[in-house]
Amino acid sequence: MKVLVTGGSGFLGLEICRQLKARGDTVSSLGRRPSGALERLGVHQHLGDLADAAAVSRAVAGCDAVVHNAALAGVSGPPRPYWVTNVVGTRHVIEQCRAHGVGTLLYTSTASVVFRPGGVEGVTESLPPVPRHLAAYPATKARAEALVLAAHGPELATVSLRPHIIWGPGDPHFAPALARAVRAGRLPMPGDGGNLVDTTHVRTAAHAHLLALDRLRRSPRAVGGRAYFVGQDDPRPLRELTGHFLRAAGVDARWCAVPPRLATAGAAAGDALLRAVRSSRTHALSRFLVAELLHPHWFDLTAARRDLGFEPPVGFDAGIAELTRLTPSAPNDGEETPCRTPTTPSVPS
């Protein structure tokens, strides 16, 4: 196939491109900046912004399929930048797929579109997105996913995948954010960390994309117009997860529980302050972030197994062992001190 991957230079996008190239597909990417990694893979790069319909048109032309992976991710910030990239950009992708006769569109969504107060445990795709989200990122991703699924029809087959907390070698988000949050050998986090959370290794997420792409092309009636959760199917207490990621990064730190009410109040105050000063920060302390750190979020993957033939190709423990081998050991940050502030890592979900 000739496949366009939007956001191909990103963490997940690059792995999708790598796996597509490895099996012999002709791959191109749409991104705002040139990528040396994509160049080394032999991926043709179109430079442009999703908000520019002409740039999207040039990238889509001549393709058999599009994997729409690019997005603005974050846990805070004003709605407009998220809307322009995630919603307007997705509209442009759909329109240009139709204009150029592209028959297959795979959308990278997020499991956070269904996250709600109190968390979600073992839910299926029958659970609808919430009417009001705690942040612009999940709100705009939910809207974009709805546009993609509604676009499914005889001329354009569409499907959406919902990975969650993607990590692995080269992770620029989750593990680095945890390491930055460590203070004097302690990791200040809301609650006791007993909430179960599932994650997605980057190779697992990319593998699911290739499965969905192929299944959609072969049997559009079977999977078209549907969304699927994908992940490791190995939910673990958040406290355990953070410990694994920090040790793999060579950071020795102990969990420091911040009272949930204090963390929630601090996040609400932070959200209000960001709005008041019209801040554009996308990774500040927020109610959305604190809620995801306090509550469970894991999902039933039965539909992906049944319809896509999905199984995680990388186990959680094997993935952590790989990270540990790739990272040199680092000493403890220093003498332990009590936690006094609800500082938490900013990680897009």
Side-chain angles (χ1 to χ4, degrees), residues 251-345:
V251 178
D252 183 15
R254 292 185 179 182
W255 183 281
C256 181
V258 176
R261 287 187 179 182
L262 176 61
T264 302
D271 279 343
L273 178 60
L274 290 175
R275 288 194 301 269
V277 300
R278 298 183 178 181
S279 170
S280 60
R281 292 179 61 192
T282 59
H283 291 81
L285 183 67
S286 67
R287 291 178 301 154
F288 171 57
L289 174 62
V290 169
E292 287 219 324
L293 293 173
L294 277 173
H295 301 295
H297 31 108
W298 56 279
F299 312 91
D300 186 331
L301 308 187
T302 299
R305 286 191 164 96
R306 179 192 65 227
D307 296 349
L308 307 179
F310 170 76
E311 286 294 338
V314 182
F316 180 85
D317 292 327
I320 289 295
E322 178 187 33
L323 284 182
T324 304
R325 290 194 302 270
L326 294 174
T327 305
S329 298
N332 190 305
D333 276 340
E335 184 178 349
E336 293 183 359
T337 57
C339 295
R340 295 186 177 88
T341 59
T343 304
T344 50

Side-chain angles (χ1 to χ4, degrees), residues 211-267:
L211 289 174
L213 189 64
D214 293 344
R215 180 64 166 155
L216 185 60
R217 283 178 61 83
R218 290 195 308 268
S219 306
R221 291 185 179 181
V223 300
R226 299 189 59 176
Y228 293 92
F229 293 119
V230 294
Q232 294 306 121
D233 202 20
D234 188 3
R236 302 191 181 199
L238 181 62
R239 188 167 182 165
E240 177 187 338
L241 290 175
T242 59
H244 282 303
F245 287 119
L246 288 173
R247 285 190 293 273
V251 178
D252 183 15
R254 292 185 179 182
W255 183 281
C256 181
V258 176
R261 287 187 179 182
L262 176 61
T264 302

Side-chain angles (χ1 to χ4, degrees), residues 3-7 16 20 65-70 93 104-108 209 213:
V3 185
L4 170 69
V5 180
T6 69
I16 294 172
L20 288 169
V66 172
V67 177
H68 181 28
N69 171 72
V93 170
T104 305
L105 172 59
L106 169 58
Y107 178 63
T108 307
H209 278 69
L213 189 64

Side-chain angles (χ1 to χ4, degrees), residues 95-210:
E95 291 166 357
Q96 296 308 318
C97 282
R98 286 172 167 160
H100 291 282
V102 175
T104 305
L105 172 59
L106 169 58
Y107 178 63
T108 307
S109 185
T110 169
S112 293
V113 298
V114 301
F115 183 77
R116 56 204 65 212
V120 287
E121 298 183 85
V123 298
T124 69
E125 292 81 359
S126 63
L127 181 71
V130 292
R132 296 191 64 180
H133 294 84
L134 293 175
Y137 170 64
T140 54
K141 290 293 285 185
R143 177 58 179 157
E145 180 185 82
L147 291 173
V148 170
L149 299 183
H152 174 69
E155 296 182 355
L156 178 63
T158 69
V159 74
S160 178
L161 292 186
R162 296 172 174 175
H164 188 52
I165 307 182
I166 301 173
W167 59 278
D171 170 19
H173 300 302
F174 188 62
L178 285 173
R180 289 193 300 269
V182 171
R183 297 291 183 272
R186 293 199 174 195
L187 177 67
M189 295 282 273
D192 63 6
N195 49 310
L196 293 180
V197 176
D198 200 11
T199 63
T200 315
H201 192 281
V202 66
R203 292 203 297 276
T204 294
H207 173 67
H209 278 69
L210 270 64

